[in-house]
Amino acid sequence: QVQLVESGGGLVQPGGSLRLSCAASGFIVNEYTIGWFRQAPGEEREGISCFTNADGNAYYADSVEGRFTISRDNAKNTVYLQMNSLKPEDTAVYYCAADPLPKSCWGQYDYWGQGTQVTVSS
């Protein structure tokens, strides 16, 4: 059974950092396309980063390029999102998602975690 569990969210001041974790079970993370998404209240879900199985590369949305870094620990079967220089507009619920197909980062995903809240505020 595929399961994704996010953790690491919280309240942080502008300019601060957080590292989100996405612990996976039921599959091997480096064999799947893994994406990070976020959704702020009243807004559509936004894809922000992923490792795609199509070419093995990492991709980022323009809104987070240079500030966020996706990584994975194959031994722990976990994907991380390091978030630096956080801004109030980064406030959202953050989700990780997984799909077994080689695909674009911003397409449909079969499996989703429950989300973790990130709030950037002074």
Side-chain angles (χ1 to χ4, degrees):
Q1 180 181 0
V2 172
Q3 190 172 15
L4 300 166
V5 179
E6 302 98 333
S7 61
L11 174 64
V12 63
Q13 292 187 342
S17 298
L18 282 175
R19 189 179 76 158
L20 305 183
S21 300
C22 174
S25 58
F27 71 100
I28 300 173
V29 293
N30 65 357
E31 295 181 353
Y32 274 49
T33 295
I34 307 291
W36 282 100
F37 294 77
R38 66 185 181 188
Q39 188 165 21
E43 297 190 13
E44 293 188 355
R45 187 173 62 202
E46 175 190 17
I48 56 175
S49 183
C50 96
F51 278 120
T52 173
N53 218 12
D55 59 16
N57 292 330
Y59 292 88
Y60 300 92
D62 290 344
S63 57
V64 305
E65 180 82 54
R67 300 188 297 124
F68 290 11
T69 304
I70 190 172
S71 64
R72 61 188 168 203
D73 184 332
N74 293 332
K76 294 182 178 180
N77 213 38
T78 298
V79 177
Y80 302 98
L81 186 69
Q82 178 67 43
M83 307 186 296
N84 298 329
S85 303
L86 283 162
K87 307 174 182 179
E89 51 264 43
D90 293 318
T91 296
V93 178
Y94 283 69
Y95 301 89
C96 65
D99 197 280
L101 297 178
K103 63 193 308 173
S104 164
C105 283
W106 320 126
Q108 298 294 319
Y109 283 73
D110 281 351
Y111 305 103
W112 292 83
Q114 83 289 349
T116 185
Q117 176 70 46
V118 171
T119 302
V120 184
S121 175
S122 56

